[in-house]
Amino acid sequence: MSLYPAFARPRDLGQAAEIMGSLSTGAMIIAGGQEVMPSVNYGALMPEVYIDVGQITALKGISEENGAIQIGSFTVHRDVQQSDVIQNNLPLLSYAAAQIGGGMQVHNRGTIGGNIVSMHPLYDILPSLLALGADVDILKDGEEQRMALADLMKDASHGLGSESLLVRVLLKPMTPDAGWAYEKLKITAGGYGSANAAAIVTLDSDKITSLRIIVGAVSALPVDISDALSDYRGQAWSEHLAEEIEAKASAAIKEPLSDHQGDGDWRRAMAGVMARRAIEAAVKRAG
Amino acid sequence: MEDMLEDTVLVNLRINGRLHELEIPAHKSLLDLLREDLNLTGTHMGCMTGHCGACTVSIDGRVAKSCITLAATLGRAKITTIEGLTQDDGTLSALQQAFWDNAGFQCGYCAPGMLLCTVELLETNPDPSDADIDTALAGNLCRCTGYQSIRRAVKAAITTTKEGAPQAAE
Ligand SMILES: Cc1cc2nc3c(=O)[nH]c(=O)nc-3n(C[C@@H](O)[C@@H](O)[C@H](O)COP(=O)(O)OP(=O)(O)OC[C@H]3O[C@@H](n4cnc5c(N)ncnc54)[C@H](O)[C@@H]3O)c2cc1C
Ligand code: FES
Ligand code: FES
């Protein structure tokens, strides 16, 4: 084996499947490289083979057909922010993509696929995708499989990044009356937040008809607290509900992260604060 | 299958208008390619983690941090480095001159990111607000100027551009 990595450039999904099927786990898919390259430069990661997926047209572009929106995994944050399809149908997602740190340079090269597969606790896209109930298509063992993003995140054997390829993200448009918000608390220099929350709510006059809240950056993966809020359906919105939601969001964080973004107890408290701010802002937008 | 694996990769890069056909090792960052192989040392190395922006170049019209761009993935890209902003005879572009006149540079280490991000900002938004300027430059750290003079320089560049002074060279 050479000291230096080899390089593979599959031109379509068939070639990608063939390459992934024949290589060991030392192979690494590279999209924008905005997650991989900092680790490589610091010696934390040494791929034996790079699989560059940037030539595969099936991974590119945003489309809308019969009320179904598809985002190719090799779509950069800048395009998610600026796409008319996303802005009109999924404003929460285009807003969240704009909250990513690292500046215009990272927005121009970092992809939605790379962001998802990293499953990094501090990244900004997963909470919104989970709130929106996204599905994903995965190419594994030569076949495409569709599954809920939430299920993929629970599956430790997904093999994404070396043995399997994230092809696209599938979403349904938000209803025009839905209120939404993504709140990110930043207290340190650099791009990352210390807690965040994505919320989507619909109201019938002032009564809650649906409510989803995902809290991120406070535990290993974002936490969906929507089930714990199901009793609020049918209730009238009030300041008091916001306070209850704050308490429930904090209580849902069983194993808070404790790192340079803040210690565990504080992160748990901030999970609540972000959930409250997100629902308050979402309610203001609803209707 | 083995023939799908390459140890070196052929790329055809148009850098500041000049075509370079290069056979490069798979692991090389665009930063190393520019500085070490092509002697384009105006692109600076600050952190190698994507945080500082000193290594910024423009790839197919969009700014990128060259330290975290794997050169082998670039294929046939068009790249502009900070050297490409200056005219052939060394005359500064209007934007560079505005930075010069307004103390937008002190040591100049951050200049590649500040200038190339501003070029892209003004192409898409000729009349940016302070907030737009701050967002466009958010990927760049400056350890000297305190950022106020950089914002001033960007605004001065907008004024000279509106008054019809020469714009950044291709
Ligand atoms: C300075 C800086 C600040 C940042 N700040 C933020 C921030 O505030 N919020 C945030 O969310 N992110 C942030 N990021 C992270 C940024 O890297 C991600 O947002 C980006 O989306 C990663 O995408 P990529 O295409 O560059 O991934 P890559 O680095 O190419 O890949 C990342 C991982 O995903 C795998 N992968 C990529 N594509 C696929 C695919 N199609 N199928 C299977 N596996 C795949 C790779 O094998 C690798 O494991 C920051 C990055 C930098 C450098
Ligand atoms: S050297 Fe590339 S961002 Fe610092
Ligand atoms: S002028 Fe010195 S880093 Fe900006």
Side-chain angles (χ1 to χ4, degrees), chain A residues 125-143:
Chain A
I125 297 296
L126 284 177
S128 297
L129 289 180
L130 291 171
L132 291 162
D135 287 332
V136 289
D137 283 343
I138 308 288
L139 179 68
K140 195 176 183 184
D141 302 327
E143 278 176 38

Side-chain angles (χ1 to χ4, degrees), chain A residues 62 75-84 86-88 90-91 93-100 103-104 106-108 125, chain B residues 135:
Chain A
I62 297 170
T75 304
V76 298
H77 302 316
R78 191 83 179 280
D79 291 338
V80 172
Q81 289 163 23
Q82 296 183 345
S83 145
D84 287 340
I86 306 293
Q87 282 185 359
N88 294 336
L90 300 163
L93 184 59
S94 80
Y95 179 82
Q99 308 315 307
I100 291 174
M104 202 151 70
V106 172
H107 295 182
N108 280 343
I125 297 296
Chain B
T135 303

